[in-house]
PDB file of all heavy atoms in Angstrom:
ATOM      1  N   PRO A  28       9.750  45.883 -17.604  1.00 94.00           N
ATOM      2  CA  PRO A  28       8.737  44.822 -17.549  1.00 94.00           C
ATOM      3  C   PRO A  28       7.522  45.079 -18.417  1.00 94.00           C
ATOM      4  O   PRO A  28       6.941  44.139 -18.959  1.00 94.00           O
ATOM      5  CB  PRO A  28       8.369  44.766 -16.061  1.00 94.00           C
ATOM      6  CG  PRO A  28       8.856  46.032 -15.470  1.00 94.00           C
ATOM      7  CD  PRO A  28      10.031  46.449 -16.281  1.00 94.00           C
ATOM      8  N   ASP A  29       7.119  46.348 -18.575  1.00 94.00           N
ATOM      9  CA  ASP A  29       5.934  46.597 -19.403  1.00 94.00           C
ATOM     10  C   ASP A  29       6.195  46.254 -20.861  1.00 94.00           C
ATOM     11  O   ASP A  29       5.306  45.753 -21.568  1.00 94.00           O
ATOM     12  CB  ASP A  29       5.454  48.032 -19.250  1.00 94.00           C
ATOM     13  CG  ASP A  29       6.516  49.050 -19.622  1.00 94.00           C
ATOM     14  OD1 ASP A  29       7.721  48.710 -19.610  1.00 94.00           O
ATOM     15  OD2 ASP A  29       6.144  50.201 -19.915  1.00 94.00           O
ATOM     16  N   LEU A  30       7.425  46.473 -21.343  1.00 96.00           N
ATOM     17  CA  LEU A  30       7.759  46.118 -22.717  1.00 96.00           C
ATOM     18  C   LEU A  30       7.807  44.603 -22.887  1.00 96.00           C
ATOM     19  O   LEU A  30       7.325  44.060 -23.894  1.00 96.00           O
ATOM     20  CB  LEU A  30       9.096  46.736 -23.119  1.00 96.00           C
ATOM     21  CG  LEU A  30       9.580  46.428 -24.541  1.00 96.00           C
ATOM     22  CD1 LEU A  30       8.558  46.877 -25.573  1.00 96.00           C
ATOM     23  CD2 LEU A  30      10.938  47.080 -24.794  1.00 96.00           C
ATOM     24  N   LEU A  31       8.382  43.904 -21.891  1.00 97.00           N
ATOM     25  CA  LEU A  31       8.425  42.442 -21.953  1.00 97.00           C
ATOM     26  C   LEU A  31       7.010  41.862 -21.953  1.00 97.00           C
ATOM     27  O   LEU A  31       6.700  40.944 -22.718  1.00 97.00           O
ATOM     28  CB  LEU A  31       9.221  41.899 -20.769  1.00 97.00           C
ATOM     29  CG  LEU A  31      10.731  42.101 -20.813  1.00 97.00           C
ATOM     30  CD1 LEU A  31      11.360  41.684 -19.495  1.00 97.00           C
ATOM     31  CD2 LEU A  31      11.351  41.309 -21.964  1.00 97.00           C
ATOM     32  N   ALA A  32       6.148  42.391 -21.094  1.00 97.00           N
ATOM     33  CA  ALA A  32       4.776  41.902 -21.038  1.00 97.00           C
ATOM     34  C   ALA A  32       4.059  42.157 -22.364  1.00 97.00           C
ATOM     35  O   ALA A  32       3.325  41.292 -22.861  1.00 97.00           O
ATOM     36  CB  ALA A  32       4.023  42.587 -19.895  1.00 97.00           C
ATOM     37  N   LYS A  33       4.271  43.314 -22.942  1.00 97.00           N
ATOM     38  CA  LYS A  33       3.635  43.640 -24.221  1.00 97.00           C
ATOM     39  C   LYS A  33       4.079  42.675 -25.313  1.00 97.00           C
ATOM     40  O   LYS A  33       3.255  42.180 -26.096  1.00 97.00           O
ATOM     41  CB  LYS A  33       3.978  45.075 -24.611  1.00 97.00           C
ATOM     42  CG  LYS A  33       3.365  45.514 -25.935  1.00 97.00           C
ATOM     43  CD  LYS A  33       3.767  46.951 -26.277  1.00 97.00           C
ATOM     44  CE  LYS A  33       3.184  47.361 -27.630  1.00 97.00           C
ATOM     45  NZ  LYS A  33       3.599  48.733 -27.999  1.00 97.00           N
ATOM     46  N   ARG A  34       5.381  42.391 -25.378  1.00 97.00           N
ATOM     47  CA  ARG A  34       5.888  41.470 -26.394  1.00 97.00           C
ATOM     48  C   ARG A  34       5.318  40.066 -26.213  1.00 97.00           C
ATOM     49  O   ARG A  34       4.973  39.395 -27.193  1.00 97.00           O
ATOM     50  CB  ARG A  34       7.418  41.430 -26.343  1.00 97.00           C
ATOM     51  CG  ARG A  34       8.089  42.673 -26.887  1.00 97.00           C
ATOM     52  CD  ARG A  34       9.593  42.547 -26.803  1.00 97.00           C
ATOM     53  NE  ARG A  34      10.261  43.706 -27.385  1.00 97.00           N
ATOM     54  CZ  ARG A  34      11.574  43.902 -27.352  1.00 97.00           C
ATOM     55  NH1 ARG A  34      12.358  42.990 -26.750  1.00 97.00           N
ATOM     56  NH2 ARG A  34      12.115  44.975 -27.897  1.00 97.00           N
ATOM     57  N   LEU A  35       5.244  39.623 -24.957  1.00 98.00           N
ATOM     58  CA  LEU A  35       4.705  38.285 -24.694  1.00 98.00           C
ATOM     59  C   LEU A  35       3.244  38.194 -25.100  1.00 98.00           C
ATOM     60  O   LEU A  35       2.816  37.214 -25.725  1.00 98.00           O
ATOM     61  CB  LEU A  35       4.866  37.945 -23.213  1.00 98.00           C
ATOM     62  CG  LEU A  35       4.336  36.570 -22.787  1.00 98.00           C
ATOM     63  CD1 LEU A  35       5.077  35.446 -23.503  1.00 98.00           C
ATOM     64  CD2 LEU A  35       4.428  36.407 -21.275  1.00 98.00           C
ATOM     65  N   LEU A  36       2.462  39.214 -24.771  1.00 98.00           N
ATOM     66  CA  LEU A  36       1.039  39.193 -25.116  1.00 98.00           C
ATOM     67  C   LEU A  36       0.832  39.236 -26.625  1.00 98.00           C
ATOM     68  O   LEU A  36      -0.057  38.555 -27.166  1.00 98.00           O
ATOM     69  CB  LEU A  36       0.325  40.365 -24.443  1.00 98.00           C
ATOM     70  CG  LEU A  36       0.140  40.226 -22.925  1.00 98.00           C
ATOM     71  CD1 LEU A  36      -0.289  41.547 -22.308  1.00 98.00           C
ATOM     72  CD2 LEU A  36      -0.883  39.139 -22.607  1.00 98.00           C
ATOM     73  N   GLU A  37       1.630  39.998 -27.337  1.00 98.00           N
ATOM     74  CA  GLU A  37       1.534  40.030 -28.798  1.00 98.00           C
ATOM     75  C   GLU A  37       1.846  38.659 -29.388  1.00 98.00           C
ATOM     76  O   GLU A  37       1.160  38.195 -30.315  1.00 98.00           O
ATOM     77  CB  GLU A  37       2.486  41.085 -29.363  1.00 98.00           C
ATOM     78  CG  GLU A  37       2.053  42.519 -29.088  1.00 98.00           C
ATOM     79  CD  GLU A  37       3.100  43.534 -29.510  1.00 98.00           C
ATOM     80  OE1 GLU A  37       4.257  43.111 -29.791  1.00 98.00           O
ATOM     81  OE2 GLU A  37       2.785  44.740 -29.530  1.00 98.00           O
ATOM     82  N   TRP A  38       2.883  38.026 -28.859  1.00 98.00           N
ATOM     83  CA  TRP A  38       3.232  36.674 -29.330  1.00 98.00           C
ATOM     84  C   TRP A  38       2.090  35.696 -29.041  1.00 98.00           C
ATOM     85  O   TRP A  38       1.702  34.903 -29.897  1.00 98.00           O
ATOM     86  CB  TRP A  38       4.520  36.213 -28.632  1.00 98.00           C
ATOM     87  CG  TRP A  38       4.813  34.759 -28.853  1.00 98.00           C
ATOM     88  CD1 TRP A  38       5.486  34.214 -29.903  1.00 98.00           C
ATOM     89  CD2 TRP A  38       4.406  33.669 -28.010  1.00 98.00           C
ATOM     90  NE1 TRP A  38       5.537  32.845 -29.769  1.00 98.00           N
ATOM     91  CE2 TRP A  38       4.877  32.486 -28.616  1.00 98.00           C
ATOM     92  CE3 TRP A  38       3.707  33.577 -26.805  1.00 98.00           C
ATOM     93  CZ2 TRP A  38       4.675  31.229 -28.063  1.00 98.00           C
ATOM     94  CZ3 TRP A  38       3.489  32.320 -26.256  1.00 98.00           C
ATOM     95  CH2 TRP A  38       3.971  31.167 -26.877  1.00 98.00           C
ATOM     96  N   TYR A  39       1.534  35.762 -27.842  1.00 98.00           N
ATOM     97  CA  TYR A  39       0.500  34.825 -27.420  1.00 98.00           C
ATOM     98  C   TYR A  39      -0.747  34.936 -28.292  1.00 98.00           C
ATOM     99  O   TYR A  39      -1.332  33.913 -28.686  1.00 98.00           O
ATOM    100  CB  TYR A  39       0.149  35.100 -25.956  1.00 98.00           C
ATOM    101  CG  TYR A  39      -1.004  34.300 -25.406  1.00 98.00           C
ATOM    102  CD1 TYR A  39      -0.887  32.932 -25.185  1.00 98.00           C
ATOM    103  CD2 TYR A  39      -2.219  34.915 -25.080  1.00 98.00           C
ATOM    104  CE1 TYR A  39      -1.939  32.198 -24.661  1.00 98.00           C
ATOM    105  CE2 TYR A  39      -3.273  34.192 -24.547  1.00 98.00           C
ATOM    106  CZ  TYR A  39      -3.126  32.832 -24.338  1.00 98.00           C
ATOM    107  OH  TYR A  39      -4.172  32.114 -23.826  1.00 98.00           O
ATOM    108  N   ARG A  40      -1.144  36.134 -28.616  1.00 96.00           N
ATOM    109  CA  ARG A  40      -2.374  36.316 -29.393  1.00 96.00           C
ATOM    110  C   ARG A  40      -2.232  35.788 -30.809  1.00 96.00           C
ATOM    111  O   ARG A  40      -3.226  35.490 -31.465  1.00 96.00           O
ATOM    112  CB  ARG A  40      -2.770  37.791 -29.373  1.00 96.00           C
ATOM    113  CG  ARG A  40      -3.330  38.212 -28.014  1.00 96.00           C
ATOM    114  CD  ARG A  40      -3.271  39.690 -27.751  1.00 96.00           C
ATOM    115  NE  ARG A  40      -3.684  39.986 -26.370  1.00 96.00           N
ATOM    116  CZ  ARG A  40      -3.376  41.087 -25.726  1.00 96.00           C
ATOM    117  NH1 ARG A  40      -2.637  42.029 -26.318  1.00 96.00           N
ATOM    118  NH2 ARG A  40      -3.769  41.269 -24.470  1.00 96.00           N
ATOM    119  N   THR A  41      -1.009  35.637 -31.262  1.00 96.00           N
ATOM    120  CA  THR A  41      -0.770  35.095 -32.601  1.00 96.00           C
ATOM    121  C   THR A  41      -0.525  33.589 -32.579  1.00 96.00           C
ATOM    122  O   THR A  41      -0.972  32.873 -33.471  1.00 96.00           O
ATOM    123  CB  THR A  41       0.448  35.786 -33.252  1.00 96.00           C
ATOM    124  OG1 THR A  41       0.199  37.189 -33.325  1.00 96.00           O
ATOM    125  CG2 THR A  41       0.711  35.250 -34.650  1.00 96.00           C
ATOM    126  N   HIS A  42       0.160  33.108 -31.540  1.00 96.00           N
ATOM    127  CA  HIS A  42       0.658  31.730 -31.557  1.00 96.00           C
ATOM    128  C   HIS A  42      -0.002  30.787 -30.561  1.00 96.00           C
ATOM    129  O   HIS A  42       0.335  29.605 -30.545  1.00 96.00           O
ATOM    130  CB  HIS A  42       2.166  31.742 -31.279  1.00 96.00           C
ATOM    131  CG  HIS A  42       2.962  32.480 -32.311  1.00 96.00           C
ATOM    132  ND1 HIS A  42       3.254  31.956 -33.542  1.00 96.00           N
ATOM    133  CD2 HIS A  42       3.510  33.718 -32.278  1.00 96.00           C
ATOM    134  CE1 HIS A  42       3.970  32.819 -34.241  1.00 96.00           C
ATOM    135  NE2 HIS A  42       4.129  33.904 -33.500  1.00 96.00           N
ATOM    136  N   ARG A  43      -0.937  31.239 -29.769  1.00 96.00           N
ATOM    137  CA  ARG A  43      -1.512  30.359 -28.744  1.00 96.00           C
ATOM    138  C   ARG A  43      -2.257  29.194 -29.376  1.00 96.00           C
ATOM    139  O   ARG A  43      -2.840  29.311 -30.458  1.00 96.00           O
ATOM    140  CB  ARG A  43      -2.454  31.145 -27.846  1.00 96.00           C
ATOM    141  CG  ARG A  43      -3.683  31.692 -28.529  1.00 96.00           C
ATOM    142  CD  ARG A  43      -4.497  32.551 -27.584  1.00 96.00           C
ATOM    143  NE  ARG A  43      -5.675  33.095 -28.215  1.00 96.00           N
ATOM    144  CZ  ARG A  43      -6.498  33.957 -27.620  1.00 96.00           C
ATOM    145  NH1 ARG A  43      -6.247  34.351 -26.390  1.00 96.00           N
ATOM    146  NH2 ARG A  43      -7.555  34.420 -28.257  1.00 96.00           N
ATOM    147  N   ARG A  44      -2.232  28.070 -28.680  1.00 96.00           N
ATOM    148  CA  ARG A  44      -2.975  26.892 -29.127  1.00 96.00           C
ATOM    149  C   ARG A  44      -4.468  27.084 -28.862  1.00 96.00           C
ATOM    150  O   ARG A  44      -4.860  27.792 -27.942  1.00 96.00           O
ATOM    151  CB  ARG A  44      -2.476  25.649 -28.382  1.00 96.00           C
ATOM    152  CG  ARG A  44      -1.076  25.210 -28.753  1.00 96.00           C
ATOM    153  CD  ARG A  44      -0.574  24.117 -27.831  1.00 96.00           C
ATOM    154  NE  ARG A  44      -0.361  24.624 -26.468  1.00 96.00           N
ATOM    155  CZ  ARG A  44       0.039  23.871 -25.442  1.00 96.00           C
ATOM    156  NH1 ARG A  44       0.242  22.572 -25.626  1.00 96.00           N
ATOM    157  NH2 ARG A  44       0.221  24.404 -24.253  1.00 96.00           N
ATOM    158  N   ASP A  45      -5.259  26.440 -29.679  1.00 95.00           N
ATOM    159  CA  ASP A  45      -6.715  26.496 -29.512  1.00 95.00           C
ATOM    160  C   ASP A  45      -7.122  25.404 -28.535  1.00 95.00           C
ATOM    161  O   ASP A  45      -7.246  24.236 -28.900  1.00 95.00           O
ATOM    162  CB  ASP A  45      -7.414  26.297 -30.861  1.00 95.00           C
ATOM    163  CG  ASP A  45      -8.926  26.430 -30.749  1.00 95.00           C
ATOM    164  OD1 ASP A  45      -9.400  26.969 -29.730  1.00 95.00           O
ATOM    165  OD2 ASP A  45      -9.636  25.983 -31.672  1.00 95.00           O
ATOM    166  N   LEU A  46      -7.315  25.779 -27.273  1.00 96.00           N
ATOM    167  CA  LEU A  46      -7.661  24.833 -26.226  1.00 96.00           C
ATOM    168  C   LEU A  46      -9.011  25.212 -25.629  1.00 96.00           C
ATOM    169  O   LEU A  46      -9.366  26.400 -25.590  1.00 96.00           O
ATOM    170  CB  LEU A  46      -6.585  24.838 -25.133  1.00 96.00           C
ATOM    171  CG  LEU A  46      -5.171  24.451 -25.608  1.00 96.00           C
ATOM    172  CD1 LEU A  46      -4.151  24.664 -24.504  1.00 96.00           C
ATOM    173  CD2 LEU A  46      -5.148  23.004 -26.086  1.00 96.00           C
ATOM    174  N   PRO A  47      -9.789  24.240 -25.160  1.00 96.00           N
ATOM    175  CA  PRO A  47     -11.171  24.529 -24.749  1.00 96.00           C
ATOM    176  C   PRO A  47     -11.300  25.479 -23.565  1.00 96.00           C
ATOM    177  O   PRO A  47     -12.358  26.082 -23.380  1.00 96.00           O
ATOM    178  CB  PRO A  47     -11.736  23.143 -24.412  1.00 96.00           C
ATOM    179  CG  PRO A  47     -10.548  22.269 -24.208  1.00 96.00           C
ATOM    180  CD  PRO A  47      -9.485  22.805 -25.091  1.00 96.00           C
ATOM    181  N   TRP A  48     -10.261  25.612 -22.758  1.00 96.00           N
ATOM    182  CA  TRP A  48     -10.349  26.528 -21.613  1.00 96.00           C
ATOM    183  C   TRP A  48      -9.824  27.925 -21.933  1.00 96.00           C
ATOM    184  O   TRP A  48      -9.866  28.804 -21.094  1.00 96.00           O
ATOM    185  CB  TRP A  48      -9.601  25.949 -20.412  1.00 96.00           C
ATOM    186  CG  TRP A  48      -8.249  25.412 -20.753  1.00 96.00           C
ATOM    187  CD1 TRP A  48      -7.085  26.111 -20.862  1.00 96.00           C
ATOM    188  CD2 TRP A  48      -7.933  24.049 -21.037  1.00 96.00           C
ATOM    189  NE1 TRP A  48      -6.048  25.272 -21.192  1.00 96.00           N
ATOM    190  CE2 TRP A  48      -6.541  23.994 -21.305  1.00 96.00           C
ATOM    191  CE3 TRP A  48      -8.675  22.863 -21.084  1.00 96.00           C
ATOM    192  CZ2 TRP A  48      -5.887  22.804 -21.617  1.00 96.00           C
ATOM    193  CZ3 TRP A  48      -8.024  21.689 -21.399  1.00 96.00           C
ATOM    194  CH2 TRP A  48      -6.660  21.658 -21.663  1.00 96.00           C
TER     195      TRP A  48
END
Side-chain angles (χ1 to χ4, degrees):
D29 58 339
L30 179 58
L31 287 172
K33 180 181 178 182
R34 287 180 177 175
L35 180 62
L36 288 167
E37 289 173 347
W38 169 86
Y39 174 70
R40 287 159 186 159
T41 301
H42 298 283
R43 65 185 180 185
R44 291 171 292 178
D45 183 16
L46 300 172
W48 46 84

